[in-house]
Amino acid sequence: MERIDVAVVGGGPAGSSAGQAAARQGAETVVFEKGVPREDRAGLGPDSTDAAGMLDYWVDLMDLPEAIPDDVILRELNGATFAGPTERLTIRDTGMGSSYPDFGFTFHRARFDDWLRERCETAGAGYRVGTSIRDVDIGRRGTHTLTLRDGTEIETDYLILADGPQRTVTRGVLGEFVAEQRLQNLASNRANHIAYQEYREFPPELFDEDLLKFWWGSMPGHTAYPWVFPNDGCVARVGLTMPIGLDIDEVQNPETYRLLEPDDETVPSGRTYVERLLATEYPDYDLDDFPLVEDRGKSGGTETYPISSTRPIDSPTGANVAIVGGAMGATSAFHEGGDHVAVRTGKIAGSLAGAGTLDAYNREWKRAVGDEILRNVSMADVVTGFEPDDWDDAFRSVDRMLDDGRLSALRMPFSGRAGLSVLARYSKAKFGYRNDGYVQLRESEYAV
């Protein structure tokens, strides 16, 4: 049986960061990645689905010691446009202190993941792609045995789970420490949204090279929205996120959503939503004016992927197990994934495991990214139940608080009743999650 110090399950941003950090501590570390194909990657690699991009303060949250390579970055961003059914505003400043000089950037996710893998391997960690985990035997004395798909057994002192929001390995491991009913909210069809996007080439006159664009209140569902994100050339990603299994018969006032049509008997597919968005937003153009770029994405210029939409969980660190990134629910549909949080939680877990002090992980991830997660969890609560008119009211109020795309304290008194109501609900939600109350499964609940 092969024996190592730290085993990492999943080779995406969280897993590669964990592997790199553990190896830098001198621990014998291996990252296991099952590997998926992509049109824009020569070989197998992690499930590298592109999120919106990287905002300025997210760069600091990642806590990377070196700059992201130029060939990874596609577009420097100057802002983000948020559109309701009738209201529209553009924000030019995140309002968060940051060392990064611009609003943010979009990036090539497969190249980003490959760069993180290179850093991991350079630090001395092994990275085995095309290797899936068949079983994990949790040893009560602190060591664990991983059985690979080919039957190979690996014994490890520390186990870091970075298998993403599907939690294909994580849920089985957690079942060793907590009753099954406490894990129901982590099932993939309950804990996640589904995202779909297409890589399309835009007519030059329509291409906004430095703006992220989001449409809220145009399709039903909690934190459901379509988007357009600029990439290289005139290529943009056009996509959406929506709840899994939404029943159209349960949608109140379906006629108010512009991307629904009267004869829809079910919630439209992602492809249909994208086509309707392009048709309604650019009525003077045909779909053929936005051709698919088929050498991008997972298959023929398209991709589908899960995004966590639940609150995060603690890890059973007393058993030398840490859960990071999407697997712990730290990423979010509300901020379009969360590569920054994945990188940081992976780095923290890897550093602690490599040093033999993993018991500090739950405290340290909260110290590093707790405020970020609290903001997203609280805002998601605030907009639960929003209908199209509510989004218009919210954007109208925010627009009154903007001065050249930047929030102005002097303008806040003019936000109106709707704006003050949203701010009050947000403050109340944050207060309700005080003392780490946003954690849905605490370390104290694990039988270790």
Side-chain angles (χ1 to χ4, degrees), residues 112-181:
F112 181 66
D113 282 357
D114 291 346
W115 173 65
L116 292 175
R117 172 183 175 176
E118 180 182 333
R119 293 174 71 248
C120 176
E121 293 179 306
T122 299
Y127 190 105
R128 303 183 189 177
V129 67
T131 307
S132 59
I133 306 299
R134 188 175 74 194
D135 185 52
V136 178
D137 180 31
I138 298 297
R140 293 296 174 172
R141 291 181 296 176
T143 59
H144 314 299
T145 302
L146 279 63
T147 303
L148 308 185
R149 185 63 60 187
D150 63 4
T152 301
E153 293 186 339
I154 312 287
E155 188 177 69
T156 184
D157 290 330
Y158 293 94
L159 176 62
I160 298 177
L161 299 170
D163 53 335
Q166 294 285 66
R167 302 178 179 92
T168 53
V169 177
T170 291
R171 285 197 75 226
V173 171
L174 287 178
E176 297 287 329
F177 305 108
V178 70
E180 176 62 29
Q181 60 263 30

Side-chain angles (χ1 to χ4, degrees), residues 154-348:
I154 312 287
E155 188 177 69
T156 184
D157 290 330
Y158 293 94
L159 176 62
I160 298 177
L161 299 170
D163 53 335
Q166 294 285 66
R167 302 178 179 92
T168 53
V169 177
T170 291
R171 285 197 75 226
V173 171
L174 287 178
E176 297 287 329
F177 305 108
V178 70
E180 176 62 29
Q181 60 263 30
R182 290 293 288 123
L183 301 178
Q184 291 178 358
N185 287 336
L186 299 182
S188 61
N189 62 340
R190 297 186 63 178
N192 299 325
H193 278 44
I194 195 71
Y196 171 83
Q197 65 182 355
E198 300 177 352
Y199 293 73
R200 289 187 174 270
E201 186 169 4
F202 272 53
E205 66 273 18
L206 299 182
F207 188 75
D208 285 316
E209 64 180 23
D210 61 354
L211 288 176
L212 302 175
K213 293 184 176 182
F214 302 88
W215 286 264
W216 294 84
S218 61
M219 53 186 290
H222 175 44
T223 62
Y225 53 93
W227 63 70
V228 171
F229 303 147
N231 279 21
D232 54 313
C234 286
V235 176
R237 285 173 283 125
V238 187
L240 57 109
T241 180
M242 61 182 175
I244 297 173
L246 179 64
D247 187 344
I248 198 169
D249 292 332
E250 297 178 359
V251 175
Q252 297 184 6
N253 305 313
E255 70 282 356
T256 62
Y257 296 94
R258 68 170 181 152
L259 297 187
L260 291 183
E261 296 184 354
D263 58 351
D264 285 334
E265 296 182 355
T266 61
V267 172
S269 67
R271 181 181 298 275
T272 298
Y273 267 139
V274 166
E275 292 176 357
R276 291 180 183 177
L277 174 69
L278 293 173
T280 57
E281 189 66 17
Y282 309 105
D284 296 331
Y285 294 79
D286 297 325
L287 187 62
D288 291 342
D289 295 321
F290 306 88
L292 274 173
V293 182
E294 297 186 356
D295 61 351
R296 311 286 180 95
K298 290 183 181 178
S299 177
T302 70
E303 54 194 19
T304 303
Y305 54 98
I307 300 180
S308 177
S309 60
T310 189
R311 289 164 28 219
I313 62 172
D314 275 336
S315 295
T317 57
N320 291 346
V321 175
I323 309 166
V324 297
M328 68 179 286
T331 60
S332 165
F334 207 76
H335 55 43
E336 244 313 282
D339 294 319
H340 59 303
V341 178
V343 167
R344 187 63 178 277
T345 55
K347 178 180 179 179
I348 294 168

